[in-house]
Amino acid sequence: MRKSYYITTPIYYPSAKPHMGHAYSSIVADFFARFKRIQGFDVFFLTGTDEHGQKIQRSAQNANMDPQSFCDQISKTFFNLSKTLNLSNDDFIRTTENRHKKSVINLWKILEEKNEIYLSKYSGWYSVSDEAFYSEDEIEDVDNKKVSKASGSPVEWVEEESYFFKLSKWQKPLLKFYNENPNFILPESRKNEVISFVKSGLKDLSVSRKSFSWGIQVPSNKDHVIYVWLDALTNYISALNYPDKNDNLYKNFWPASLHLIGKDILRFHAIYWPAFLLAANIPPPKRVYGHGWILSNEQKMSKSKGNILDPLEIIKKYGVDSLRYYLIKEVSFGNDGNISEEKLENCINSDLANNFGNLCQRVISFNEKNINLKIPQSFKFNKEDLQILNNYKNNFDNLIDFVDNQKINEYVNFIQDQLFAANKYFNDQEPWKKKADQERLNTIVYVSLELIRKISILLYPIIPTTTLKVLDIFQIKEGDIEFNSIKNDLILKSDSKIKKISILFKKIEKND
Ligand code: MSP
């Protein structure tokens, strides 16, 4: 049986239209999903929208709409974004769907049966924008208003009857779990923050609200709706048809391989989620990775600062692969990353148009002029040929290791080095001077075509549309791509025809 890999994005609040931060999480998740698929894994990739809670209810009120129609409308924009980003997700879950409600109610009932939930009264600070409870020392006064220190969002005082989950009871088991699974939380710096937070003591968590109605009702008490985070986190198993533990999706894919999220929602994923699951006797996910923020001109993007880069506008102007490549390359994964349109243009010109586009163009037009768009026959590798081809064999295990440890910048660096090496090889070998030595000319062209094939496979998880165009010239279709094949040097069949290729990335003219 094939090994399985389950990757998720956060499910997005459909409170406003999607922005670059959402696009970033989704693009990176798609990179992992596509890589693991070509590595031969059975992959399930999930994304979707998180539609209950006070934040959504208020946004709907402000728009003068009922919450369900409001969610239908905005969830659609996230669904459309998943298409525009060319995500290869296997499912798109909405928390207002019945399959999800069923799953949440089941989890709640189990927690209640196991005596993990009790009724009491909550009084404390709540941020509707973060859908989070904050203790006194987590808030501060700014301009005479109480805000969360971590997110800066306003908090309001809440006092109402509420169900509580016995989180305090799970402090020790959680610490034991982190200890036994040292890579559960990545990156390392974030893991340390979480562990010291847990060590400082966990209070029981309010898991229901009474003062509004937009949510899943507590099964035994219709006056309460289930806390939106308990509801939302459950999406990761409801998409696998939980509570049916015998369902193939659940059996194959749970526990998840990787929950990819932003650093601001780490506490929910690395503390609350495993605690709920441990309490319900369900295994926790294998890994939670908290990536950084996307900043624009060193600041968080916001309408008032006028520094928003809208993913849809950027894609319209530069194409989806340019944005995908740029975000994956530019942001040091795990840290905040500063992006700008100028840097995006530089990146397109240097990496995509010059290094990748030109390599393909030069080799194929040389082939067209000299061997009539054929894969050469009769060639003999010399030491230099083998040396450049061997880079892929020698680094094969490292590349897999980079992906499995979320070291995506190392993965991109390897590609950049290989692009540089391939262009240099073609220049240094000067095939245009080898017209009297057909065998050498053939060999240089063959090696160069093999390098294009290998680099395209490496780039496929990042820029699928463009690399599929390139691989198509060799008749390699999406379902045929095998990561393993980058180790082999004789994949291209001698004497078969290759197709011509149109310009892959247009250089952006600068006016200065
Ligand atoms: N609905 C919750 C997630 C529930 S998951 C069970 C949520 N939604 S969100 O729409 O507010 O945010 C979704 C993701 O986008 C989070 O991982 C958040 O970190 C990420 N980003 C939002 N703005 C961002 C940036 N500017 N940069 C990078 N990612 C950021 O939280």
Side-chain angles (χ1 to χ4, degrees):
M1 216 175 83
R2 284 196 301 159
K3 284 203 219 157
S4 59
Y5 186 84
Y6 179 26
I7 174 144
T8 65
T9 72
I11 48 170
Y12 305 108
Y13 288 128
S15 50
K17 65 177 188 165
H19 60 65
M20 202 53 102
H22 303 136
Y24 178 65
S25 280
S26 291
I27 288 171
V28 176
D30 192 52
F31 165 82
F32 289 113
R34 287 180 185 271
F35 182 92
K36 295 308 280 187
R37 267 191 218 106
I38 64 170
Q39 201 198 337
F41 280 62
D42 190 9
V43 171
F44 195 77
F45 170 23
L46 178 69
T47 188
T49 43
D50 179 0
E51 309 190 1
H52 290 131
Q54 211 169 2
K55 179 183 171 100
I56 300 295
Q57 181 168 312
R58 282 192 188 167
S59 306
Q61 263 158 10
N62 292 341
N64 253 329
M65 288 175 81
D66 72 276
Q68 186 63 57
S69 322
F70 180 77
C71 288
D72 289 347
Q73 192 181 60
I74 304 204
S75 176
K76 187 99 188 94
T77 64
F78 281 89
F79 182 83
N80 292 343
L81 180 72
S82 72
K83 298 286 166 210
T84 311
L85 294 175
N86 195 12
L87 303 187
S88 61
N89 54 304
D90 297 281
D91 199 351
F92 185 99
I93 192 157
R94 299 183 54 190
T95 55
T96 47
E97 288 174 86
N98 277 335
R99 57 170 174 159
H100 174 73
K101 291 183 190 163
K102 193 173 114 190
S103 173
V104 174
I105 288 170
N106 190 279
L107 182 61
W108 178 280
K109 282 185 176 160
I110 292 177
L111 294 175
E112 237 181 359
E113 271 161 29
K114 289 187 181 283
N115 224 356
E116 296 286 346
I117 286 179
Y118 62 92
L119 190 61
S120 182
K121 193 175 170 197
Y122 179 78
S123 54
W125 298 103
Y126 191 76
S127 157
V128 174
S129 157
D130 302 345
E131 294 285 19
F133 301 95
Y134 290 112
S135 62
E136 203 67 49
D137 56 352
E138 288 176 311
I139 62 163
E140 60 186 352
D141 278 313
V142 174
D143 300 334
N144 279 330
K145 276 193 202 123
K146 303 257 182 229
V147 299
S148 144
K149 281 184 194 165
S151 66
S153 50
V155 294
E156 43 197 86
W157 186 255
V158 169
E159 230 175 84
E160 63 189 42
E161 185 187 68
S162 167
Y163 284 91
F164 282 79
F165 169 71
K166 292 182 182 166
L167 185 63
S168 55
K169 177 181 149 187
W170 292 95
Q171 177 176 352
K172 272 206 182 122
L174 278 173
L175 290 170
K176 182 165 172 270
F177 175 73
Y178 302 145
N179 198 27
E180 284 165 1
N181 299 278
N183 291 324
F184 171 63
I185 305 166
L186 285 181
E188 194 73 19
S189 54
R190 301 260 147 74
K191 166 178 147 181
N192 298 335
E193 282 166 25
V194 170
I195 293 183
S196 48
F197 182 82
V198 175
K199 277 190 178 153
S200 72
L202 294 177
K203 290 204 195 86
D204 289 352
L205 179 71
S206 162
V207 284
S208 77
R209 299 291 308 275
K210 219 181 155 179
S211 49
F212 64 90
S213 58
W214 182 238
I216 302 174
Q217 282 176 346
V218 168
S220 55
N221 186 343
K222 306 284 179 229
D223 293 339
H224 288 248
V225 292
I226 297 176
Y227 176 38
V228 62
W229 271 102
L230 173 51
D231 168 344
L233 288 160
T234 308
N235 91 89
Y236 299 131
I237 51 176
S238 45
L240 303 180
N241 296 328
Y242 176 87
D244 183 359
K245 288 186 174 180
N246 288 320
D247 187 275
N248 276 338
L249 280 179
Y250 185 85
K251 278 202 302 206
N252 286 348
F253 294 109
W254 193 258
S257 314
L258 177 61
H259 290 322
L260 188 68
I261 55 163
K263 61 181 181 180
D264 50 319
I265 55 173
L266 194 57
R267 188 182 295 182
F268 305 97
H269 284 80
I271 303 175
Y272 301 168
W273 183 223
F276 297 149
L277 291 169
L278 288 171
N281 204 13
I282 298 172
K286 292 184 192 141
R287 181 163 302 169
V288 172
Y289 192 103
H291 65 66
W293 287 90
I294 302 289
L295 308 175
S296 168
N297 301 329
E298 310 293 340
Q299 290 177 315
K300 210 179 140 195
M301 278 180 240
S302 77
K303 268 194 203 141
S304 54
K305 291 189 192 114
N307 62 352
I308 289 198
L309 289 178
D310 178 338
L312 294 177
E313 280 169 25
I314 295 285
I315 290 170
K316 216 166 166 192
K317 194 160 164 194
Y318 301 101
V320 63
D321 277 354
S322 299
L323 177 66
R324 290 176 61 115
Y325 181 86
Y326 174 64
L327 287 178
I328 289 183
K329 182 203 156 184
E330 183 69 19
V331 181
S332 153
F333 194 52
N335 298 316
D336 291 350
N338 194 39
I339 63 168
S340 74
E341 207 165 330
E342 193 191 348
K343 285 201 271 177
L344 166 67
E345 291 187 349
N346 291 341
C347 171
I348 296 172
N349 284 349
S350 68
D351 290 28
L352 298 175
N354 273 352
N355 291 348
F356 184 52
N358 258 356
L359 175 73
C360 299
Q361 223 63 53
R362 285 172 79 192
V363 172
I364 289 157
S365 55
F366 181 83
N367 181 319
E368 186 183 10
K369 285 194 202 103
N370 295 281
I371 38 182
N372 202 17
L373 288 173
K374 275 194 169 170
I375 310 246
Q377 261 186 323
S378 67
F379 48 82
K380 209 159 84 207
F381 296 147
N382 69 16
K383 222 175 84 194
E384 281 158 321
D385 305 331
L386 287 172
Q387 199 179 4
I388 192 160
L389 290 168
N390 281 343
N391 282 342
Y392 298 82
K393 277 192 200 99
N394 298 340
N395 285 287
F396 183 78
D397 292 338
N398 289 342
L399 287 162
I400 293 176
D401 199 60
F402 291 155
V403 175
D404 287 343
N405 294 296
Q406 288 76 46
K407 295 184 176 169
I408 56 181
N409 301 100
E410 275 91 332
Y411 181 92
V412 178
N413 287 345
F414 178 78
I415 301 179
Q416 285 184 304
D417 290 348
Q418 294 321 307
L419 276 172
F420 180 81
N423 278 302
K424 182 170 179 338
Y425 171 85
F426 198 70
N427 278 343
D428 292 355
Q429 296 300 319
E430 302 182 310
W432 47 91
K433 290 190 183 160
K434 304 286 177 350
K435 299 205 171 147
D437 180 356
Q438 190 66 40
E439 188 182 71
R440 186 63 203 145
L441 184 148
N442 282 352
T443 308
I444 299 167
V445 172
Y446 189 89
V447 170
S448 304
L449 290 173
E450 266 297 342
L451 295 176
I452 290 176
R453 181 186 70 82
K454 289 170 201 274
I455 291 174
S456 298
I457 292 178
L458 284 173
L459 278 171
Y460 163 78
I462 310 176
I463 50 170
T465 312
T466 314
T467 48
L468 284 174
K469 272 192 224 157
V470 179
L471 291 168
D472 185 56
I473 68 172
F474 306 124
Q475 330 282 355
I476 301 174
K477 307 282 175 230
E478 189 160 27
D480 309 329
I481 303 175
E482 282 180 27
F483 184 69
N484 258 331
S485 73
I486 69 159
K487 279 199 283 197
N488 305 332
D489 301 327
L490 295 168
I491 293 285
L492 299 174
K493 286 213 184 64
S494 292
D495 223 21
S496 53
K497 269 278 194 195
I498 58 171
K499 293 184 203 159
K500 267 172 85 162
I501 197 168
S502 54
I503 302 246
L504 299 175
F505 292 96
K506 277 205 195 89
K507 255 192 114 142
I508 294 153
E509 300 299 335
K510 303 253 184 182
N511 300 327
D512 48 27

